[in-house]
Amino acid sequence: MKNHQSDEQSNKTENPGLTGRRDFMKTAGLTALGLSAAPLIITSCNSKSETDGKQEPAVTNSNGLVFPKGFLWGTATASYQVEGAANEDGRGKSIWDTFSHTPGKILNNDNGDIACDFYHKYKEDIQLIKSLNAKSYRFSISWSRIFPEGTGTPNQKGLDFYSRMVDELLANGIEPFGTLYHWDLPQALQDKNKGWQSKDTAKAFADYAGYMAEKLSDRVKHFFTLNELWTFIQLGYGDGVFAPGLKLPAAELYQARHHAVLAHGLAVEAIRAKGKAGTKVGLAENIKVGVPVFESPENIKAAETATREFNAGYMTVIMEGKYTDSFLKKAGADAPKFTAEELKTISSPLDFCGINIYNPEAYVQAAANEDGFEKIPFAKSHPTSTSKWQILGPESLYWGARHTQKLWNVKEIYITENGTSGTDELTADKKVYDTDRITFLRNYLTQLQRATSEGVPVKGYFYWSLVDNFEWASGYGTRFGLYYMDYKTLERIPKLSVSYFRAMAEKNAVL
Ligand code: PNW
């Protein structure tokens, strides 16, 4: 095992070529966290980028933060956020069409009608992925392109789109990772079933998942059932800020949550039944990570316990096949109704786990209470990105992966989303100096490399996102992309972080 600590210690020398680095770290607020960033050493100018033909500096990895051989670098997007073509080729409406067209729901009243026009520009975007030295791409499938009414007769033109796109990825040496549900529920199922409030939606999802596995598993080897169950249930059915905009009472919310985990389990079974042998199934959940406030054996244990409880209604029941005692006790009379058979389905064995991690849920310490841990409140001055929910805490990536292995014995882990939003000012000569994103990446990936160096089986990393896109209720003003999107012309402009990501993917190391 490599001694990570000593690597860090021996690389604290400042790079005189990068004056002002301290200043931008201050801007990003990271110095407040006492984080050290490994120096980026830029040497000679002799390598050419494939896309723009401009000279790019060669980068030397000086700090030894190398990922395991075969580690997959990739980026992620989701259908409603990038595709556009909302009314083309027989696509049915989704709850996000309805929600975004309801005045006052989305900042600026933006909607995804056009988005990044990925539906027409996918070939161009696949070249962008290739130019990042990425070997994988996580996309999602719009359920209502395939089944415009959620169930019934499939729409061939919708399927053809994903089939063409997958072929194009493979022709360019990029491995497709397909997500079956990234929140764009067919509106017809919201109308007919009240969406996730009904078990029928879970069953319809499994039918659609099985159909997609049958059609694409000759080429797509990794399927994710649902993306971020916590987010679409809590924000969509609990807080009313995401589609379909409901604020359900507790008992109904618990039941909707149960239907989402059931949908996952039924879909796993359907994919196994209909997919080619060797098809791998998992999910992409934004697990809520408890980070030990400092690393003592007691705090580490407390952070593990906390993580298991934070995720009790989602990842924990999926991985363990039971709701924890504490979860059921807290829910009391509002607890979901379920059967033993459903719990078995929900916990069907998975081939891998995808975890989306942006921030710690909480810093945690050991406590002599019933739970065995306590959450420490974040300081008001704790830095965030321009997304105010994103409390910055690079260690969440290390602990998220490590807890996932330790708690549930997962043998194949992917970071299916990690990224940050910034102000991303475009200069007159079309440059975006996103120093905050570079600092973010360096610090988070240093923590991820710590995990792999200790043997945590993280097999790949998908940056969210390839391009700026429709950031749900925040509309187009919040930018997470490596490429800047000019929404007037739909031009994709590389931010500085494109060069950084490209160099890291090439070296398979943190730079
Ligand atoms: C995730 N929160 O969403 C999604 O999977 C992506 O579609 C999204 O664009 C990305 O993260 C960046 O936001 C989240 O409020 C949205 O805690 C909101 C929250 C978390 C995740």
Side-chain angles (χ1 to χ4, degrees), residues 81 182-183 227-228 231 235 358 389 417 464 471-472 480:
Q81 295 182 272
H182 202 123
W183 310 350
N227 178 70
E228 295 200 358
T231 314
L235 303 188
Y358 291 85
W389 53 265
E417 285 182 30
W464 182 275
E471 179 52 24
W472 306 114
F480 274 88

Side-chain angles (χ1 to χ4, degrees), residues 141-310:
I141 295 162
S142 152
W143 182 349
S144 65
R145 279 197 198 281
I146 309 296
F147 291 100
E149 300 293 311
T151 57
T153 316
N155 169 32
Q156 187 62 39
K157 285 190 171 166
L159 179 64
D160 289 346
F161 167 67
Y162 294 106
S163 191
R164 284 197 299 279
M165 202 255 290
V166 163
D167 286 344
E168 185 73 13
L169 286 167
L170 291 171
N172 283 281
I174 298 159
E175 201 179 328
F177 281 64
T179 306
L180 293 161
Y181 185 78
H182 202 123
W183 310 350
D184 40 2
L185 183 75
Q187 181 63 41
L189 295 183
Q190 188 61 41
D191 297 342
K192 197 167 112 200
N193 295 344
K194 294 196 195 162
W196 294 105
Q197 290 186 254
S198 164
K199 213 174 276 184
D200 289 343
T201 297
K203 290 181 189 153
F205 177 66
D207 291 344
Y208 148 69
Y211 179 79
M212 292 312 302
E214 194 181 319
K215 298 294 175 186
L216 293 184
S217 65
D218 55 337
R219 288 158 291 156
V220 177
K221 299 297 172 201
H222 292 80
F223 283 97
F224 305 96
T225 55
L226 302 153
N227 178 70
E228 295 200 358
L229 291 80
W230 176 88
T231 314
F232 75 81
I233 292 293
Q234 187 59 42
L235 303 188
Y237 290 78
D239 303 342
V241 295
F242 275 17
L246 300 175
K247 292 183 183 173
L248 297 179
E252 289 178 46
L253 185 61
Y254 271 112
Q255 202 58 44
R257 191 178 283 138
H258 178 69
H259 295 150
V261 290
L262 181 61
H264 158 80
L266 290 170
V268 172
E269 292 176 350
I271 294 166
R272 297 226 187 280
K274 301 282 172 105
K276 296 247 175 318
T279 306
K280 290 190 168 186
V281 193
L283 81 171
E285 176 61 350
N286 56 330
I287 63 162
K288 306 279 170 199
V289 182
V291 173
V293 66
F294 59 85
E295 297 183 12
S296 67
E298 298 77 17
N299 288 348
I300 290 172
K301 180 80 194 117
E304 248 169 55
T305 310
T307 300
R308 182 166 175 265
E309 290 303 338
F310 292 162

Side-chain angles (χ1 to χ4, degrees), residues 47-57 430-431 494 502:
S47 81
K48 262 187 166 240
S49 121
E50 284 174 54
T51 43
D52 45 26
K54 279 188 226 124
Q55 296 264 302
E56 265 192 23
K430 289 198 183 172
K431 301 261 190 283
R502 185 184 281 156

Side-chain angles (χ1 to χ4, degrees), residues 75 77 118 129 136-139 165 169 174-177 462:
T75 59
T77 62
F118 178 78
I129 299 169
S136 60
Y137 175 55
R138 175 174 175 242
F139 63 97
M165 202 255 290
L169 286 167
I174 298 159
E175 201 179 328
F177 281 64
F462 295 85

Side-chain angles (χ1 to χ4, degrees), residues 209 346 374 380 398:
I346 289 167
E374 66 191 12
K380 279 212 185 72
Y398 168 76

Side-chain angles (χ1 to χ4, degrees), residues 336-348:
K337 314 240 170 319
F338 57 88
T339 65
E341 199 186 329
E342 285 174 358
L343 288 181
K344 200 159 167 253
T345 297
I346 289 167
S347 59
S348 295

Side-chain angles (χ1 to χ4, degrees), residues 228 230-231 285-293 295 299-312 314-316 354-365 373-378 382 389 391-408 413-418 444 447-448 450-451 456 458:
E228 295 200 358
W230 176 88
T231 314
E285 176 61 350
N286 56 330
I287 63 162
K288 306 279 170 199
V289 182
V291 173
V293 66
E295 297 183 12
N299 288 348
I300 290 172
K301 180 80 194 117
E304 248 169 55
T305 310
T307 300
R308 182 166 175 265
E309 290 303 338
F310 292 162
N311 298 285
Y314 300 103
M315 199 71 163
T316 306
I355 48 180
N356 297 358
I357 297 178
Y358 291 85
N359 51 276
E361 172 68 6
Y363 291 96
V364 165
Q365 66 185 0
F373 68 87
E374 66 191 12
K375 281 167 80 166
I376 295 167
F378 290 112
H382 198 111
W389 53 265
I391 297 274
L392 295 169
E395 330 84 320
S396 56
L397 208 47
Y398 168 76
W399 286 103
R402 178 166 153 176
H403 292 326
T404 299
Q405 178 194 29
K406 180 83 195 302
L407 285 170
W408 302 304
I413 298 172
Y414 294 92
I415 304 302
T416 31
E417 285 182 30
N418 169 251
Y444 273 70
Q447 292 288 327
L448 189 63
R450 178 184 174 197
V456 179
V458 180

Side-chain angles (χ1 to χ4, degrees), residues 7-18 21-22 36-41 62-63:
D7 278 346
E8 266 203 342
Q9 295 306 321
S10 62
N11 281 291
K12 291 253 166 75
T13 37
E14 278 290 339
N15 173 10
L18 280 182
R21 184 162 66 84
R22 282 216 174 93
S36 68
L40 170 66
I41 304 241
S62 65
N63 54 28

